[in-house]
Amino acid sequence: MSIPPVAVYLLAGRGSRLGDITQDTPKCLVPINKEPLLTRSLHQISALGVKKVILVVGYKSDVIKEGYQSTFNGMEICYVFNKDWETTNNLVSFYLTFPFIDSDYILLEGDLIYTGKAISKMCSTDSMAVSPLKPYMDGTVVTIDNDNCVKMMYLKSSSKRPEKSELLYKTVNIYCFSQSSHKKFVEPEIQRLVEEGLNQSYYEQAFTAVIEDKSFPIRAITFDDKSWYEIDTEKDLREAKKIFNKNI
């Protein structure tokens, strides 16, 4: 089972909520079981057929480049530097990759850990990973229909965000897009937001817009809540180490 041949990782931010842990180490290189998050993920995607990796770097970019050079596990490694990483959000980091995207691709973030079984589910283009919303989860959520397609996407700040009326799923922050859908839906909306100067926005704002006007059908791929974890804070890191206390 293979996933798209190109992987895009957004790694530019510092991860300041991890405190001193990221003082000298980029967030994506924080270790679990003595293995950096990025190293673990690269091993996983190389086993699934990825041939080219685009790393968007900013904070401590030299450390990442030194660690991974131009190839890793048979994959070509390309670097895109977000020089404004301190004053922009992942919308801009994602936008900077567009000249280098020439095929279907998987989009990932560097503060995630997941099982090999979970990431192997991302073999369908125009899909997003989601997980049943739990009380400890925060951020963007979606509703899905009976065909496992995303009905609506709600940012954390959305006034339309439902409370208990519908079953909600948390976005895992892993997406697969076909090259044609990227050109037709993703790229124009991201570019519009950048041109409007919304540099502090998240890329989910663009996805929300194209899903809301029902122009872009996107499939929901469900991850079990114990098969992944997002690491934003020191507490998150402790919890992730408990869940992933062995290499699964």
Side-chain angles (χ1 to χ4, degrees), residues 148-187:
N148 281 331
C149 287
V150 177
K151 289 199 299 184
M152 292 291 285
M153 189 172 189
Y154 303 93
L155 301 177
K156 181 179 179 179
S157 59
S158 174
S159 60
K160 300 178 182 178
R161 187 182 175 106
E163 294 295 333
K164 299 179 181 179
S165 58
E166 295 187 75
L167 181 61
L168 298 179
Y169 293 80
K170 171 74 177 73
T171 54
V172 175
N173 298 331
I174 302 175
Y175 302 82
C176 283
F177 295 122
S178 65
Q179 187 178 13
S180 59
S181 290
H182 173 82
K183 289 292 185 182
K184 185 176 181 181
F185 301 114
V186 177
E187 186 170 322

Side-chain angles (χ1 to χ4, degrees), residues 3-44:
I3 58 179
V6 172
V8 176
Y9 285 83
L10 306 182
L11 312 173
R14 172 175 175 172
S16 58
R17 284 189 285 171
L18 280 169
D20 291 342
I21 294 170
T22 55
Q23 180 67 40
D24 299 309
T25 303
K27 189 178 184 182
C28 64
L29 299 189
V30 170
I32 290 183
N33 291 329
K34 300 181 180 179
E35 184 177 41
L37 291 171
L38 182 57
T39 300
R40 175 191 173 96
S41 182
L42 289 174
H43 279 299
Q44 289 171 324

Side-chain angles (χ1 to χ4, degrees), residues 50-213:
V50 170
K51 303 301 182 186
K52 176 182 174 182
V53 178
I54 301 168
L55 304 180
V56 184
V57 295
Y59 177 69
K60 298 289 182 183
S61 60
D62 55 331
V63 178
I64 298 173
K65 289 179 179 180
E66 183 179 344
Y68 299 97
Q69 304 290 317
S70 60
T71 60
F72 184 89
N73 252 33
M75 301 181 294
E76 176 189 2
I77 306 293
C78 305
Y79 297 92
V80 176
F81 182 61
N82 180 356
K83 64 181 178 61
D84 299 315
W85 64 268
E86 290 184 274
T87 57
T88 62
N89 219 316
N90 64 19
L91 175 80
V92 173
S93 287
F94 187 30
Y95 173 74
L96 292 173
T97 68
F98 291 174
F100 305 94
I101 292 176
D102 54 7
S103 73
D104 301 348
Y105 65 97
I106 182 170
L107 174 66
L108 310 104
E109 296 186 15
D111 58 359
L112 299 172
I113 186 169
Y114 26 76
T115 64
K117 182 178 179 180
I119 194 65
S120 71
K121 293 181 178 183
M122 301 302 295
C123 56
S124 300
T125 53
D126 302 335
S127 63
M128 72 165 68
V130 301
S131 188
L133 184 65
K134 301 293 183 180
Y136 65 86
M137 296 178 181
D138 193 16
T140 302
V141 297
V142 302
T143 56
I144 62 177
D145 63 23
N146 293 332
D147 296 320
N148 281 331
C149 287
V150 177
K151 289 199 299 184
M152 292 291 285
M153 189 172 189
Y154 303 93
L155 301 177
K156 181 179 179 179
S157 59
S158 174
S159 60
K160 300 178 182 178
R161 187 182 175 106
E163 294 295 333
K164 299 179 181 179
S165 58
E166 295 187 75
L167 181 61
L168 298 179
Y169 293 80
K170 171 74 177 73
T171 54
V172 175
N173 298 331
I174 302 175
Y175 302 82
C176 283
F177 295 122
S178 65
Q179 187 178 13
S180 59
S181 290
H182 173 82
K183 289 292 185 182
K184 185 176 181 181
F185 301 114
V186 177
E187 186 170 322
E189 188 62 22
I190 293 284
Q191 184 167 342
R192 182 185 69 81
L193 294 174
V194 170
E195 289 176 350
E196 289 181 2
L198 301 176
N199 292 344
Q200 280 292 329
S201 297
Y202 295 94
Y203 59 70
E204 289 98 332
Q205 185 169 337
F207 301 165
T208 298
V210 293
I211 290 169
E212 188 168 355
D213 68 16

